[in-house]
Amino acid sequence: MKRGRLPLTALRSFESAGRHLSFSRAAEELYVSQAAISRQIRELEELLGIALFARLHRRVALTEAGGALLAQLTISFDDIDRQLSVTMTKAAPSALRVNVEPSFAGEFLIQRLNSFQARYPDIDISVDSELRLIEFRGQEADLAVRYGATATSWPRTESRHLIDVETTPVMTAELLASGVSITSPADLSNYTLLHDYNRDGWANWFTKLGFAEMAVRRGPVYAEAALAMQAAKLGHGIALGDRILNGDDIRAGRLVCPFARETYDVSCGAYWLVAPDFNRLSNAARAFVEWLQEEILRKA
């Protein structure tokens, strides 16, 4: 097929729908209606003379031909997007976009970002904080910081280990002094436990330490870890923290750890630097990676 006749709009609609396995999510990503996505894909199938999707009950699945086409299109669109990013970076070499998980942003990055700006005053950094796993498309970000409980990679990206997460209970000194003495995990039953996202964090912590019977399912649940940590700083209960990410609050006395270092610390995944291709990072992104790794080592 001649390039001048390539159905680019339909191909883009198909690639998005195939990647998400959802016409509705493709519509959201491309800011069009679901009917438009469906029409574009149907016209593409008619042009090619072959089905790209199997329409099942309330879901779709790629056919063999659809899977093969999707694999090539995703690579091609990612390459185009990456080259556009490079071109735009050359036009504005000081621009840097970083996407960071809320807990890492709120408990670690923001407190130190002024030192990065002092070292690199010509770099105009933009920090976006969200849980959504970005696709590095449409100038969403140059770099991301992601948490992984077990996974160390994400589709079509590269990842570098940044810091292990060792969880340990944290609370205010006033709350610790006002309640029952804490010498073992069993004593935490006398306090309110603060949960982030769901109650699995505390349940896993108790279970890994051999106190599965203490895996309580009570206590307030906050939408983000940073909110649970804020509640802990206000003396509302005990949260699961990290000695490095929450190190500033611990050293300043805003939070205390009721247990000695490593006594009841539990390994709980890690934070990772994520990028489409570390070998093709801009100079600004390389500077940020180097600075952040230095900050992590300094606080370890």
Side-chain angles (χ1 to χ4, degrees), residues 5 21 65 81 102 118 158 165 171 212 226 248 258:
R5 298 182 60 191
L21 287 179
D81 185 76
E158 296 179 359
V165 176
M171 61 197 300
D248 290 344

Short mmCIF file of all heavy atoms in Angstrom, two decimals, residues 5 21 65 81 102 118 158 165 171 212 226 248 258:
data_model
loop_
_atom_site.label_atom_id
_atom_site.label_comp_id
_atom_site.label_asym_id
_atom_site.label_seq_id
_atom_site.Cartn_x
_atom_site.Cartn_y
_atom_site.Cartn_z
N ARG A 5 -1.74 6.48 0.92
CA ARG A 5 -3.06 5.90 1.14
C ARG A 5 -3.15 5.18 2.50
O ARG A 5 -4.15 4.53 2.78
CB ARG A 5 -3.38 4.91 0.01
CG ARG A 5 -3.44 5.56 -1.37
CD ARG A 5 -3.81 4.53 -2.41
NE ARG A 5 -5.10 3.91 -2.14
CZ ARG A 5 -5.58 2.84 -2.77
NH1 ARG A 5 -4.82 2.25 -3.70
NH2 ARG A 5 -6.76 2.34 -2.48
N LEU A 21 -7.16 -3.57 24.71
CA LEU A 21 -8.21 -4.57 24.53
C LEU A 21 -9.56 -4.00 24.98
O LEU A 21 -10.35 -4.66 25.65
CB LEU A 21 -7.89 -5.85 25.30
CG LEU A 21 -6.77 -6.73 24.69
CD1 LEU A 21 -6.52 -7.95 25.54
CD2 LEU A 21 -7.11 -7.11 23.25
N ALA A 65 -4.05 -12.26 13.15
CA ALA A 65 -3.64 -11.17 12.27
C ALA A 65 -3.60 -9.85 13.03
O ALA A 65 -2.71 -9.02 12.84
CB ALA A 65 -4.58 -11.07 11.07
N ASP A 81 6.80 8.64 18.35
CA ASP A 81 6.61 9.49 19.53
C ASP A 81 7.95 9.84 20.16
O ASP A 81 8.18 10.98 20.57
CB ASP A 81 5.72 8.79 20.54
CG ASP A 81 5.38 9.66 21.73
OD1 ASP A 81 4.53 10.57 21.58
OD2 ASP A 81 5.97 9.46 22.81
N PRO A 102 2.65 9.18 44.05
CA PRO A 102 2.36 10.17 45.09
C PRO A 102 3.15 10.00 46.39
O PRO A 102 3.65 10.97 46.95
CB PRO A 102 0.86 9.98 45.34
CG PRO A 102 0.34 9.47 44.05
CD PRO A 102 1.43 8.58 43.51
N ALA A 118 18.90 24.11 42.49
CA ALA A 118 20.09 24.90 42.78
C ALA A 118 21.28 24.44 41.95
O ALA A 118 22.10 25.23 41.49
CB ALA A 118 20.42 24.82 44.27
N GLU A 158 12.19 0.48 29.96
CA GLU A 158 13.33 -0.04 30.69
C GLU A 158 13.22 0.45 32.13
O GLU A 158 12.67 1.52 32.38
CB GLU A 158 14.64 0.45 30.07
CG GLU A 158 14.87 -0.06 28.66
CD GLU A 158 16.17 0.47 28.07
OE1 GLU A 158 16.86 1.26 28.75
OE2 GLU A 158 16.48 0.11 26.92
N VAL A 165 12.16 -0.96 49.47
CA VAL A 165 11.24 -0.46 50.48
C VAL A 165 11.23 -1.43 51.66
O VAL A 165 10.90 -2.60 51.51
CB VAL A 165 9.81 -0.31 49.92
CG1 VAL A 165 8.84 0.12 51.01
CG2 VAL A 165 9.80 0.70 48.78
N MET A 171 4.93 6.40 64.16
CA MET A 171 3.90 7.09 64.93
C MET A 171 4.51 8.32 65.58
O MET A 171 5.72 8.52 65.51
CB MET A 171 3.33 6.15 65.99
CG MET A 171 4.38 5.69 67.00
SD MET A 171 3.93 4.23 67.99
CE MET A 171 2.47 4.79 68.82
N ALA A 212 0.32 -13.74 61.83
CA ALA A 212 -0.82 -13.73 60.90
C ALA A 212 -2.13 -13.48 61.62
O ALA A 212 -3.05 -12.86 61.06
CB ALA A 212 -0.88 -15.05 60.13
N ALA A 226 0.61 8.90 51.25
CA ALA A 226 0.95 10.19 51.82
C ALA A 226 -0.13 10.68 52.78
O ALA A 226 0.18 11.34 53.78
CB ALA A 226 1.16 11.21 50.70
N ASP A 248 13.41 12.00 56.96
CA ASP A 248 13.41 13.39 57.41
C ASP A 248 12.49 13.58 58.61
O ASP A 248 12.84 14.27 59.58
CB ASP A 248 12.99 14.31 56.27
CG ASP A 248 14.03 14.41 55.18
OD1 ASP A 248 15.19 14.01 55.44
OD2 ASP A 248 13.70 14.86 54.08
N PRO A 258 8.66 2.65 66.81
CA PRO A 258 8.59 1.97 68.12
C PRO A 258 9.53 0.77 68.24
O PRO A 258 9.83 0.34 69.35
CB PRO A 258 7.13 1.53 68.20
CG PRO A 258 6.67 1.43 66.78
CD PRO A 258 7.41 2.52 66.05
#
